[in-house]
């Protein structure tokens, strides 16, 4: 562990203990010739910030039973951008949009962002200012639509060209119902980024409906508001069971240098679920009058 990382961890401990205050990113994070770069806020930086020690503290105190370094998409020492706060997975999404921006090519393009992060929301609005961009969430303020992802009745079938649903499904007991709704509101030929915590040592999804107490959820699921941890194959099976065709984008697709520069762990994977267009089918999108 290098001195820079040790100092950052010490700073985080001081904040956690209440003997120091978190402050905005100082000038020392700016480095013009740095190899690190946040594709979300478009800034070059000297380093990224580690995952909050509150998580590590909870995992340690409650005896988290899973090996944390088997998490597929999680870079603990380089978790967030010191400027915009974008997590490593959100920086991965930005790399995807930068690489495949041609899929968003018209003013009629309809985009749904479920439980949006502020940093990625700002990025999308700047990157694609002409698209129809809508946000939704059940427990969030300042979203366009307050709704339960398991029943998005205000949206017509085939309503959106693209959907982001990032780290939502692990909070939902009836996740297959939620995935089915994502499939329903996605336009044939549309794509969606669907992500959730995946641990590579698991052969099947890990869940237990008898676990309720917060400390038990920290122990078994890594957070007190999670109800499961997904296995890689289990996650893909659920997406495919709902009708999605899944594609995985890894370091081989984005390049080693881009992953390193954006602070993304080499074993990270982006899941894009597509709703296939039926051959010979002429799709007509109904007007979205329910919520405009």
């Amino acid at each position: 562990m290098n001195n820079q990382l040790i100092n950052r961890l010490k700073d985080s401990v001081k904040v956690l203990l209440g003997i120091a205050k978190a402050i905005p990113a100082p000038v020392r994070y700016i480095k013009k010739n740095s190899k690190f770069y946040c594709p979300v806020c478009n800034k070059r930086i000297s380093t990224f910030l580690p995952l909050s020690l509150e998580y590590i503290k909870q995992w340690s105190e409650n005896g988290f039973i899973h090996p944390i370094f088997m998490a597929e998409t999680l870079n603990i020492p380089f978790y967030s951008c010191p400027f915009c706060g974008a997590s490593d997975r959100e920086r991965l999404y930005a790399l995807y949009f930068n690489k495949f921006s041609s899929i968003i090519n018209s003013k009629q393009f309809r985009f749904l962002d479920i439980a949006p992060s502020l940093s990625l929301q700002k990025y999308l609005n700047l990157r694609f200012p002409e698209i129809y961009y809508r946000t939704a969430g059940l427990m969030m303020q300042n979203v366009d639509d307050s709704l339960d992802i398991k029943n998005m009745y205000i949206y017509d079938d085939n309503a959106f060209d693209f959907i982001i649903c990032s780290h939502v499904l692990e909070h939902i007991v009836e996740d297959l119902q939620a995935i089915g709704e994502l499939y329903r509101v996605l336009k044939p030929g549309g794509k969606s980024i669907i992500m959730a915590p995946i641990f590579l040592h698991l052969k099947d999804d890990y869940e237990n409906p008898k676990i309720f107490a917060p400390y038990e959820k920290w122990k078994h699921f890594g957070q007190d508001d999670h109800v499961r941890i997904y296995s890689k194959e289990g996650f893909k099976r659920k997406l495919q069971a709902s009708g999605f065709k899944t594609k995985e984008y890894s370091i081989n697709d984005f390049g080693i240098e881009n992953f390193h520069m954006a602070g993304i762990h080499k074993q990270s994977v982006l899941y894009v679920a597509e709703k296939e267009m039926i051959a010979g089918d002429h799709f007509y999108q109904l007007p979205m009058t329910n919520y405009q």
Side-chain angles (χ1 to χ4, degrees), residues 221-239:
F221 307 132
Q223 249 177 256
D224 59 0
D225 56 353
H226 287 186
V227 298
R228 77 177 56 78
I229 291 176
Y230 289 94
S231 65
K232 187 178 184 72
E233 292 306 316
F235 184 67
K236 291 192 294 183
R237 278 197 302 269
K238 285 186 173 179
L239 295 178

Side-chain angles (χ1 to χ4, degrees), residues 96 100 103 109 160-164 186-194 244 247 249 272-275:
Y96 172 82
F100 300 102
I103 66 173
F109 196 91
F160 293 98
D161 297 277
F162 203 101
I163 298 173
I164 294 180
L186 186 65
K187 175 181 175 180
K191 302 177 187 293
S192 56
I193 289 175
I194 304 179
F244 283 114
K247 289 188 176 180
Y249 295 88
V272 176
E274 302 180 3
K275 185 174 181 177

Side-chain angles (χ1 to χ4, degrees), residues 15-28:
V15 172
L16 188 62
L17 294 176
I19 60 177
K21 291 183 178 180
I23 58 175
V27 175
R28 64 188 170 95

